[in-house]
Amino acid sequence: MLGLGILKGFMETGRNFCGSYYDPERLTTVQYPEERLEPQANARTIPFLIYDGSDPIGGLRCTACTICEQECPAHCIEIVKDTAKKPDYLGKMQLHPKVFDIDTAVCMECGICAEVCPFDSIKMDQVFERAGSHRRLTLHKDDLSKSNEYYNKIHPAEAAAVDAARAEEQKKAQARKAAAAVPATP
Amino acid sequence: MNAPPPPLAPTGRSQTAGDLLEVSMGPHHPSTHGVFRMNVVLDGETVVKLTPVFGYLHRNHEKIAEKNSYLGSIPYTDRLDYICSMTNNWAYVLSVEKLAGIAVPERAEYIRVIVGEMTRLFNHACLAGFLLQDMGALGTPLMYAFREREKILDLFEALSGSRMMCNYMRFGGCRCDLPEGWPEKAARIGAGFESFLDEFEALLTGNEILRARSEGVGVLPRELAVNSGVTGPGLRASGVNYDIRKVDKYGIYDRFKFRVPLGERGDVFDRYMVRILEMRESLMILNQALHDLPDGAIIDPKVRLRNLRPKAGEAYGRIESPKGELGFYLISDGGPIPYRYRVRPPSLINLTVLEDMCMGHTIADVVIILGSIDIVLGEVDR
């Protein structure tokens, strides 16, 4: 019968309409900004730099090795190395960045910088409400610097693994140092 | 007295005369699925000539990739066909793996099949939604399709960190392992998709308006489809049994049982129906892959992601992306960046038969014929 298909279709839309009052499967709209979804543990937006301790600039893990600068597909990272060296968590003398800029207008949030960083220094943030009345789209070192506690809060599992690996390395380095400090028996 | 000025020369390059009307459809036309323009010559309402104009979204994809490392091109491939980032990743890493001779662990192969088939599911569902929107069913089918797509995108976000620009696959495997409980969630959403498809078909397939609008419209003859290099559901709707998953058996596709749905007439309705049936087959592959998913490494630990320097040579890797044959042709000169990088985009090549399909139909049919080809302008223009 002509029109039967249309009637069947109307029944479907009717079912969906009625379902939208009680069935959570069909009630999918989230009333943002009043309601918010918890971000997924893996979610990523722009990168940030991690610091240890309490000094956001002095405690940066970044050693200005420029691997992320070279690997960034959009070339949005700019690093200028400082000339002075400081000891890192293993006691090795390392350079530090004098300038670390990320042009977030260019950054495509792919996460390759975090993937290639050998010092676990650059990680992916979860802030997404970055609109503002300013034009400051290039983020500098002090904007990017965030604490390790923050990292632990947004990516708990990943951060715990990183912290454990770093603690292990530190222990090994200390053991090596202690072994070197003991003078060989004459 | 001054002589009267000579008549002005006609402006523009219109080649039409008499009753014919030249209409420029797009680039900002809602039915063109992006920035795509068609110069349509109309006789009354009937199309007598159609010239596609593209390039509005050209972003120098290939040239950028020839300046980036092999790793750095993966996020750019997400942005080719921005609906199906996972399959784009897959095609690219497949050709790099061919070029550099990298083996992929079993588990990674299974995960690739799972995410690839999920991509096919929501791409086809959205295509059906968009097609119906082009026919005038504003909103409803598209919203239902998007509701299901969101569920799969949530899964992708839990897996890769991003909903659409996944950047998930790496040569030699995948970037990270599945989060806890992910396969169970995926199986649940797969089962939910089955009932969604039943609902979708009850809503659409029997609908008299859809059938009247799409049957016999935009017929693509078998010979023309083969000769012009059309691939994907558009080719199979014309009755050609050609699916790269069956022909090439790339990855581990020889382990799964699935059928290749074929159309008879090659009209818009067949192209719609082939996609609906393909979704059902994709669900079957998805269930088999989730069932057989082995444990093990996710990526070959020996593979160098940074500073990969494949031996000088060339490779062409291709997969059956939801839109057709997506291939990447790479030439290496032994250096850390590809010497030549070329994409074989299915959307662009499927678009070349647009004029032949539209000829003699009305302008309202042009919209749904274009919709049934399934183009994404990010891939057409690159």
Side-chain angles (χ1 to χ4, degrees):
Chain A
M1 192 186 85
L2 193 68
L4 202 66
I6 296 177
L7 279 180
K8 247 170 87 183
F10 273 130
M11 264 169 63
E12 280 307 322
T13 45
R15 244 214 326 271
N16 271 279
F17 172 69
C18 299
S20 68
Y21 280 97
Y22 62 88
D23 187 358
E25 278 287 298
R26 300 190 198 281
L27 261 176
T28 45
T29 309
V30 178
Q31 299 292 343
Y32 178 84
E34 287 83 18
E35 273 174 44
R36 276 155 197 273
L37 294 175
E38 277 292 305
Q40 308 246 27
N42 262 346
R44 59 179 147 85
T45 57
I46 55 163
F48 70 98
L49 296 173
I50 299 183
Y51 68 87
D52 290 316
S54 56
D55 181 4
I57 298 297
L60 280 180
R61 287 180 185 174
C62 178
T63 60
C65 67
T66 71
I67 287 178
C68 54
E69 190 184 17
Q70 291 156 25
E71 284 298 320
C72 174
H75 305 291
C76 70
I77 303 178
E78 194 196 344
I79 299 172
V80 176
K81 291 181 186 182
D82 210 340
T83 44
K85 284 189 174 184
K86 276 191 283 186
D88 67 352
Y89 72 110
L90 296 177
K92 263 194 219 157
M93 295 306 275
Q94 296 279 18
L95 284 172
H96 280 260
K98 194 171 171 187
V99 175
F100 196 111
D101 287 353
I102 293 182
D103 189 349
T104 55
V106 178
C107 175
M108 56 179 170
E109 307 172 358
C110 62
I112 282 190
C113 49
E115 201 180 324
V116 297
C117 180
F119 299 97
D120 291 309
S121 158
I122 188 163
K123 294 288 170 194
M124 301 311 280
D125 208 341
Q126 288 189 343
V127 288
F128 57 93
E129 291 153 318
R130 289 190 292 118
S133 53
H134 55 78
R135 285 192 186 175
R136 231 160 35 88
L137 288 170
T138 301
L139 299 184
H140 304 298
K141 202 164 63 171
D142 40 345
D143 305 312
L144 293 166
S145 169
K146 289 182 179 175
S147 68
N148 191 26
E149 285 74 52
Y150 176 76
Y151 176 44
N152 269 287
K153 204 181 89 197
I154 58 171
H155 300 297
E158 192 188 309
V162 167
D163 281 355
R166 280 173 73 90
E168 185 68 21
E169 266 178 54
Q170 205 166 8
K171 219 192 270 172
K172 266 188 203 158
Q174 270 163 1
R176 261 203 308 275
K177 216 176 183 181
V182 174
T185 42
Chain B
M1 246 174 93
N2 288 342
L8 290 171
T11 54
R13 287 180 298 131
S14 173
Q15 290 153 17
T16 58
D19 292 338
L20 297 184
L21 178 69
E22 191 176 344
V23 178
S24 172
M25 238 176 122
H28 293 288
H29 193 277
S31 75
T32 56
H33 302 227
V35 275
F36 173 63
R37 188 154 74 92
M38 290 173 278
N39 269 336
V40 194
V41 180
L42 297 173
D43 179 9
E45 252 194 297
T46 314
V47 178
V48 292
K49 189 172 184 297
L50 187 148
T51 322
V53 184
F54 30 67
Y56 291 95
L57 202 59
H58 181 58
R59 292 150 303 166
N60 245 329
H61 176 81
E62 289 173 4
K63 216 63 198 170
I64 289 173
E66 284 163 20
K67 289 193 84 176
N68 266 336
S69 67
Y70 285 91
L71 174 65
S73 291
I74 297 177
Y76 279 109
T77 61
D78 288 338
R79 286 148 177 86
L80 272 177
D81 170 359
Y82 39 77
I83 295 179
C84 323
S85 65
M86 287 288 194
T87 46
N88 296 345
N89 283 180
W90 194 357
Y92 175 64
V93 298
L94 196 75
S95 30
V96 177
E97 278 156 11
K98 262 191 181 174
L99 187 65
I102 301 168
V104 185
E106 190 98 329
R107 185 175 169 84
E109 288 278 25
Y110 271 89
I111 293 174
R112 284 181 183 184
V113 169
I114 291 169
V115 294
E117 291 307 320
M118 282 183 165
T119 307
R120 197 182 315 279
L121 281 177
F122 70 67
N123 176 72
H124 285 357
C126 288
L127 184 269
F130 282 126
L131 183 63
L132 266 290
Q133 195 180 35
D134 290 343
M135 286 183 197
L138 290 176
T140 310
L142 184 62
M143 286 302 131
Y144 291 180
F146 265 53
R147 187 183 66 205
E148 297 309 305
R149 172 173 177 253
E150 286 299 302
K151 292 176 189 166
I152 298 179
L153 291 189
D154 279 343
L155 281 180
F156 281 8
E157 190 183 8
L159 177 60
S160 71
S162 185
R163 300 172 76 76
M164 290 176 73
M165 302 296 135
C166 297
N167 183 18
Y168 178 61
M169 290 177 197
R170 293 285 178 272
F171 11 97
C174 300
R175 182 155 54 86
C176 47
D177 207 346
L178 301 178
E180 212 163 297
W182 198 90
E184 292 77 39
K185 246 191 249 170
R188 205 161 53 239
I189 285 170
F193 209 94
E194 191 93 59
S195 59
F196 157 73
L197 270 184
D198 294 339
E199 184 188 300
F200 210 50
E201 278 216 81
L203 177 68
L204 300 175
T205 307
N207 189 301
E208 282 85 357
I209 301 172
L210 184 144
R211 299 195 89 121
R213 284 296 304 277
S214 60
E215 276 176 337
V217 171
V219 174
L220 178 62
R222 211 184 139 105
E223 292 73 33
L224 179 64
V226 174
N227 290 342
S228 51
V230 173
T231 45
L235 177 68
R236 292 192 284 274
S238 295
V240 184
N241 190 352
Y242 183 76
D243 187 323
I244 297 170
R245 290 176 292 176
K246 288 277 191 199
V247 176
D248 258 20
K249 299 193 169 58
Y250 61 91
I252 47 164
Y253 269 111
D254 47 347
R255 299 185 195 174
F256 302 112
K257 258 200 215 141
F258 65 101
R259 292 165 299 173
V260 180
L262 297 177
E264 273 178 357
R265 290 157 300 183
D267 56 3
V268 173
F269 184 76
D270 275 6
R271 284 196 281 277
Y272 157 81
M273 206 58 217
V274 160
R275 288 194 171 95
I276 297 277
L277 294 173
E278 248 179 46
M279 279 194 267
R280 297 200 184 271
E281 299 304 316
S282 281
L283 278 172
M284 271 175 58
I285 301 175
L286 184 64
N287 288 338
Q288 290 170 47
L290 282 169
H291 181 260
D292 298 344
L293 182 66
D295 287 333
I298 192 81
I299 190 162
D300 184 0
K302 287 197 294 279
V303 69
R304 297 181 68 184
L305 289 178
R306 272 190 68 222
N307 242 331
L308 180 80
R309 287 165 186 268
K311 284 198 193 84
E314 56 179 50
Y316 178 68
R318 57 177 189 170
I319 65 160
E320 179 74 28
S321 94
K323 298 191 165 55
E325 174 186 337
L326 174 63
F328 283 83
Y329 176 58
L330 299 170
I331 303 181
S332 163
D333 56 358
I337 57 174
Y339 173 76
R340 179 76 177 99
Y341 171 106
R342 155 92 188 144
V343 190
R344 189 248 184 237
S347 299
L348 172 69
I349 293 166
N350 293 355
L351 198 55
T352 52
V353 287
L354 181 65
E355 185 177 9
D356 301 279
M357 288 200 274
C358 291
M359 210 57 100
H361 290 292
T362 59
I363 184 107
D365 289 338
V366 170
V367 172
I368 60 168
I369 294 168
L370 179 70
S372 74
I373 302 176
D374 194 6
I375 55 163
V376 161
L377 267 293
E379 193 177 69
V380 173
D381 296 340
R382 302 194 298 295

